Amino acid sequence: MISLVKPNTKYKVFVIAYKNAEQRIKNIITQHSVLNIHDKDIFLRQTNYPGFGRSFDLNDRISIYLGWFKDKIMEKLDEGYTLNIVEIHKSYGNRVEQVLKSLDFIYDDDILVIDIQEV
């Protein structure tokens, strides 16, 4: 299998928005999720700040992701979506990415891949 991940990429980060999804599909979306966002007020009060050096961890990465995707997240929350930030390690190749993109295609406006970033 040929990986489409850049050689220095460690993670691919997805923002997935969904509504009207059955539990089986939610389980697929949330399998690699690092954060579920369903409430605008809680999202706006998110106050974690990134660390540095050896103490830099998942919470710090999540804070960075929230900064990257804030406007898109706010827009989709206003439209009634629940969002998940999904972080996929490079060792998974592009298998999980293909599944998430196919859900977007199959379920039309009920499941959307909002953004993808390589880290």
Side-chain angles (χ1 to χ4, degrees):
M1 176 170 96
I2 298 173
S3 177
L4 300 176
V5 178
K6 294 178 186 174
N8 58 351
T9 296
K10 192 168 185 175
Y11 300 100
K12 279 198 176 182
V13 181
F14 296 76
V15 178
I16 309 293
Y18 59 93
K19 59 183 175 182
N20 306 319
E22 58 192 66
Q23 189 60 46
R24 178 179 64 87
I25 301 302
K26 288 179 189 177
N27 292 344
I28 293 170
I29 294 169
T30 60
Q31 182 177 5
H32 297 282
S33 176
V34 294
L35 184 65
N36 176 275
I37 306 164
H38 60 275
D39 185 288
K40 191 174 184 178
D41 293 330
I42 293 171
F43 173 68
L44 290 172
R45 285 184 265 149
Q46 183 75 26
T47 58
N48 291 335
Y49 297 99
F52 58 91
R54 294 180 190 258
S55 66
F56 195 83
D57 61 9
L58 177 60
N59 288 330
D60 299 321
R61 291 195 310 272
I62 290 170
S63 293
I64 291 169
Y65 303 157
L66 290 174
W68 289 348
F69 306 126
K70 181 179 180 180
D71 293 338
K72 293 176 182 180
I73 290 170
M74 292 296 291
E75 177 184 330
K76 292 303 174 189
L77 285 171
D78 286 340
E79 294 175 12
Y81 285 91
T82 297
L83 292 99
N84 275 43
I85 295 179
V86 177
E87 182 183 75
I88 303 168
H89 193 272
K90 68 179 179 181
S91 64
Y92 285 98
N94 62 358
R95 173 183 71 213
V96 177
E97 179 178 0
Q98 290 173 346
V99 169
L100 294 173
K101 286 180 175 179
S102 67
L103 289 175
D104 182 343
F105 179 75
I106 294 167
Y107 289 93
D108 199 30
D109 287 338
D110 285 339
I111 299 174
L112 304 170
V113 175
I114 304 301
D115 203 339
I116 303 171
Q117 294 290 329
E118 294 182 1
V119 181

